[in-house]
Amino acid sequence: METDLPVYLRDALSQINAARESLKIQINGEIIDLLLDNILYMEVDKHYVTIHYKNNSIKSTSKSYVVHASLSQLEQKLETRGFLRIHKSFLVNMKHLTRFSCREAILTNGTILRVSEKNYAKQKNKYLLWKGLQ
């Protein structure tokens, strides 16, 4: 038992880590895996998307990655994984939403983002379904 348990525990943790979903991005020819759970939100500026990422290191709370991409394509890819388009410029990881109202969304790190008033009712329904409240 004393010799087998650590081996089984290590194997179980490896399987859990392997099952965690990620987004692969390419920056300067290097492919980087970003865990979906750690992505706070994404914002678009022209043809570039900035991915705001929760860094688990003690020194820094978040990091940003800028990639040449379409926010609409990322939305289609990540919509079923808990991401919500709250504004034409923002795609948010619902795991990090602490408040969602018709004017603003507040994230776990304190970031405040604008919400599209025009699409608020539809997005609110998606959020409530994701939370299991509807």
Side-chain angles (χ1 to χ4, degrees):
M1 175 87 157
E2 288 179 23
T3 57
D4 290 340
L5 186 58
V7 172
Y8 292 132
L9 185 58
R10 204 171 317 118
D11 288 345
L13 289 173
S14 293
Q15 288 177 7
I16 289 170
N17 287 333
R20 295 171 72 177
E21 294 183 280
S22 66
L23 175 68
K24 291 182 187 332
I25 61 170
Q26 184 173 349
I27 298 177
N28 298 327
E30 179 184 356
I31 297 191
I32 300 171
D33 265 343
L34 299 178
L35 291 177
L36 293 183
D37 283 352
N38 288 358
I39 296 174
L40 296 165
Y41 69 101
M42 300 176 196
E43 66 180 308
V44 68
D45 183 23
K46 297 179 183 158
H47 299 289
Y48 292 92
V49 173
T50 302
I51 301 169
H52 298 272
Y53 191 75
K54 182 178 134 188
N55 195 348
N56 288 333
S57 76
I58 297 170
K59 294 178 184 176
S60 176
T61 57
S62 65
K63 183 172 181 150
S64 297
Y65 298 93
V66 179
V67 295
H68 187 270
S70 159
L71 195 61
S72 295
Q73 288 175 340
L74 288 168
E75 176 186 13
Q76 287 176 351
K77 184 176 183 177
L78 300 172
E79 183 175 46
T80 58
R81 292 179 171 91
F83 284 78
L84 181 67
R85 184 85 174 255
I86 62 167
H87 186 274
K88 66 180 181 177
S89 300
F90 301 117
L91 181 63
V92 176
N93 186 341
M94 290 187 277
K95 291 179 183 178
H96 294 287
L97 269 177
T98 58
R99 182 170 176 240
F100 184 51
S101 68
C102 64
R103 297 195 188 276
E104 65 184 19
I106 301 176
L107 304 180
T108 53
N109 70 343
T111 299
I112 300 172
L113 302 172
R114 285 191 345 217
V115 171
S116 169
E117 292 181 41
K118 182 177 88 172
N119 296 322
Y120 174 69
K122 180 180 169 186
Q123 302 305 16
K124 180 183 174 187
N125 285 336
K126 286 182 182 180
Y127 179 62
L128 292 173
L129 277 171
W130 180 82
K131 288 199 64 111
L133 299 174
Q134 215 176 33

